[in-house]
Amino acid sequence: MTEKTSAQNPIEHIRQLLKAKEYEKALLYVDQVGQNNSPMKNARGVCLLRQGKIESALKLLRDLNFAGQICIPSDTPPLYQANYATALLMKGYNQEALEILSGLKARQHPYVAAMHETIAEWKRGLNPFQRLGCLLRLYPRKPVSLKYPPGSL
């Protein structure tokens, strides 16, 4: 990718760096671009998730999703919500993460669909008592493992 192309589409450049597993370079690029808009905040959160800096990602993505409100506003993009739910899962906050994901439809974004598939697989691995709890929206703290890199742009 040329410098001109990356300047025209910073998110695509970040996507390429993440695909190459150059997480530190991607985070430095986000800082270099210096835009403080929602897509760049989301990109920063994804870079932090990929680096394993879960606490930092969680705080950033929480602020991005809640935007100073008590609840996540209805116009918050599903991808941002799914990334926040991913950070929650990685921290072991299954209840909160699955509540968010339950409000998202798989057709809203490919990453949301992947998260739904991951949760369905996770539920299949639960014992009958834990599955019953899920029906009551009482989710066990059993870790959810992702089979893909966390977060998406």
Side-chain angles (χ1 to χ4, degrees):
M1 180 173 287
T2 67
E3 288 299 317
K4 184 177 180 183
T5 305
S6 65
Q8 290 173 347
N9 190 346
I11 296 296
E12 186 55 38
H13 184 65
I14 296 164
R15 185 176 284 119
Q16 293 303 317
L17 289 170
L18 292 174
K19 186 176 180 181
K21 297 183 180 181
E22 296 190 40
Y23 307 137
E24 187 63 34
K25 280 186 181 179
L27 189 57
L28 288 171
Y29 181 75
V30 170
D31 292 341
Q32 178 187 358
V33 170
Q35 296 176 2
N36 201 25
N37 57 31
S38 295
M40 292 307 283
K41 288 179 184 177
N42 181 60
R44 179 180 247 306
V46 171
C47 290
L48 291 168
L49 283 175
R50 302 270 177 106
Q51 287 182 317
K53 298 178 180 176
I54 309 308
E55 282 293 331
S56 298
L58 191 58
K59 181 184 181 329
L60 188 145
L61 293 168
R62 178 179 45 240
D63 293 346
L64 176 63
N65 276 271
F66 283 89
Q69 305 296 314
I70 294 173
C71 297
I72 297 175
S74 61
D75 63 344
T76 302
L79 176 61
Y80 298 176
Q81 294 181 56
N83 286 337
Y84 177 52
T86 300
L88 289 166
L89 286 173
M90 292 175 76
K91 194 68 180 156
Y93 301 138
N94 295 0
Q95 187 69 38
E96 297 86 345
L98 294 173
E99 287 293 330
I100 291 168
L101 290 171
S102 71
L104 302 176
K105 306 281 186 263
R107 69 179 182 276
Q108 291 176 298
H109 192 278
Y111 187 72
V112 174
M115 290 297 293
H116 279 288
E117 289 172 19
T118 296
I119 297 305
E121 184 177 319
W122 172 79
K123 285 180 179 178
R124 286 190 292 273
L126 299 176
N127 66 43
F129 182 72
Q130 291 171 320
R131 278 189 291 236
L132 178 62
C134 288
L135 292 174
L136 301 172
R137 293 188 137 186
L138 299 170
Y139 304 105
R141 293 192 65 115
K142 179 181 176 186
V144 176
S145 52
L146 302 175
K147 295 187 179 4
Y148 42 84
S152 181
L153 302 180

